[in-house]
Amino acid sequence: MLVLGGTTEGRELSAALAGRDDLLVTTSLAGRVTSPPGSESPATPSDASTRDPMRRRVGGFGGVDGLEAWLRAHEVGAVVDATHPFAATMTRHAAAACAAAGVPLLRVERPAWQPVDGDDWHDVESVAAAAQSADRLGERLLVTTGRQEAAAFAPVRAWCLLRSIEAPTPPLPARHEILLDRGPFTRAGEAELIARHGIDVLVTKNSGGAATAPKLEAARDAGIPVVMVARAALPPGLTCVADTPAALAWLEAQASG
Ligand code: NAP
């Protein structure tokens, strides 16, 4: 079995399946961060699944054809795509490669956050649109959309606090500060951050999940707007569950069927 990871759900699945002697489970990471949580050594591109007790491989497969070839070469019986809700390319590639190789595929995707009373959300379709919207709304932005897309904020005139797990690379906004941090975060901690930096707009992807949700509560408490980047639509016909227990139940059914 192959788990496409890089998320809490991917880590939970790997942990739950580790040590099973009836299943060979490999977890795949893209290799975007040098020290993913749960790793004892830096993630370097490799296909070291046979040497790693967690059977982890790191790095891209080489598109749809590369993934299809990998599935065939490793005689994969089922794939769980537990990548992040915004890893849309990997999700598309997994759907196409599994269809081509005739391998059952499950998508595990945590539900999107929903606004509640007191929220002032501004929904946008892309990080570039979020940068434009936030620049119109405020003067001091807390940008949590991630290192890979920080360049979308290069043209903004507002001051930006760029929070990410690893440092973003230029181009970056003219006026900015970088804050390296990885969740989970707390409501009190997020409130303190917003107050300390005089933040007047929060920018986020609609990632869902509990670990990074406290920023939304803190924004509501502070009465500041949230620019929310919407998810792309899933490929049609995908079997989808919302959490790790449901994904484990599906894997059990695949293993016993
Ligand atoms: P992406 O844009 O959907 O994928 C780009 C390419 O990266 C894919 O075509 C694939 O390369 C490779 N790739 C992505 N996920 C992979 C995986 N789990 N194993 C092996 N190769 C993978 O992905 P992304 O948004 O850059 O995300 C990369 C990783 O970071 C994912 O594992 C995702 O779960 C995690 N992550 C992403 C975000 C986010 O906001 N995007 C947030 C948190 C975590 P090939 O075509 O060569 O196979």
Side-chain angles (χ1 to χ4, degrees), residues 126-132 141-180 203 205 229:
S126 67
V127 176
Q132 288 179 8
L141 319 181
L142 171 55
V143 178
T144 63
T145 42
R147 164 177 75 96
Q148 289 190 81
E149 288 167 291
F153 290 83
V156 309
R157 55 161 191 93
W159 178 85
C160 296
L161 181 59
L162 303 170
R163 182 169 73 185
S164 53
I165 296 172
E166 293 187 358
T169 48
L172 296 174
R175 298 184 301 128
H176 73 269
E177 190 176 320
I178 292 170
L179 175 61
L180 301 184
V203 188
K205 294 173 177 171
V229 184

Side-chain angles (χ1 to χ4, degrees), residues 199-220:
I199 298 296
D200 56 8
V201 182
L202 167 66
V203 188
T204 179
K205 294 173 177 171
N206 196 333
S207 300
T212 57
K215 63 188 168 188
L216 304 176
E217 298 168 333
R220 189 184 317 130

Side-chain angles (χ1 to χ4, degrees), residues 5-7 28-30 32 57 59-63 83-84 86-90 93 148 205:
T7 53
S28 178
L29 303 176
R32 297 283 188 275
R57 66 167 300 287
F61 294 92
T83 56
H84 189 268
F86 280 82
T89 305
M90 189 68 249
H93 287 186
Q148 289 190 81
K205 294 173 177 171

Side-chain angles (χ1 to χ4, degrees), residues 16-210:
L17 296 166
R20 291 265 304 243
D21 47 18
D22 58 331
L23 292 176
L24 279 181
V25 183
T26 297
T27 299
S28 178
L29 303 176
R32 297 283 188 275
V33 292
T34 44
S35 292
S39 68
E40 282 153 22
S41 55
T44 48
S46 71
D47 197 350
S49 49
T50 50
R51 298 191 299 277
D52 186 338
M54 294 291 282
R55 299 185 63 83
R56 208 173 41 147
R57 66 167 300 287
V58 179
F61 294 92
V64 176
D65 293 347
L67 178 54
E68 181 190 346
W70 199 95
L71 296 176
R72 292 187 191 280
H74 294 79
E75 299 177 20
V76 173
V79 175
V80 177
D81 171 12
T83 56
H84 189 268
F86 280 82
T89 305
M90 189 68 249
T91 290
R92 241 185 10 259
H93 287 186
C98 287
V103 175
L105 168 67
L106 181 74
R107 169 73 179 147
V108 50
E109 185 167 296
R110 57 185 99 130
W113 293 316
Q114 301 296 335
V116 300
D117 276 355
D119 280 333
D120 175 18
W121 285 17
H122 299 249
D123 293 321
V124 292
E125 297 298 319
S126 67
V127 176
Q132 288 179 8
S133 169
D135 207 22
R136 282 193 299 271
L137 285 166
E139 301 292 333
R140 296 182 67 82
L141 319 181
L142 171 55
V143 178
T144 63
T145 42
R147 164 177 75 96
Q148 289 190 81
E149 288 167 291
F153 290 83
V156 309
R157 55 161 191 93
W159 178 85
C160 296
L161 181 59
L162 303 170
R163 182 169 73 185
S164 53
I165 296 172
E166 293 187 358
T169 48
L172 296 174
R175 298 184 301 128
H176 73 269
E177 190 176 320
I178 292 170
L179 175 61
L180 301 184
D181 207 350
R182 186 203 298 269
F185 300 102
T186 64
R187 188 175 189 158
E190 299 291 57
E192 193 276 328
L193 187 72
I194 287 171
R196 177 157 43 96
H197 290 281
I199 298 296
D200 56 8
V201 182
L202 167 66
V203 188
T204 179
K205 294 173 177 171
N206 196 333
S207 300

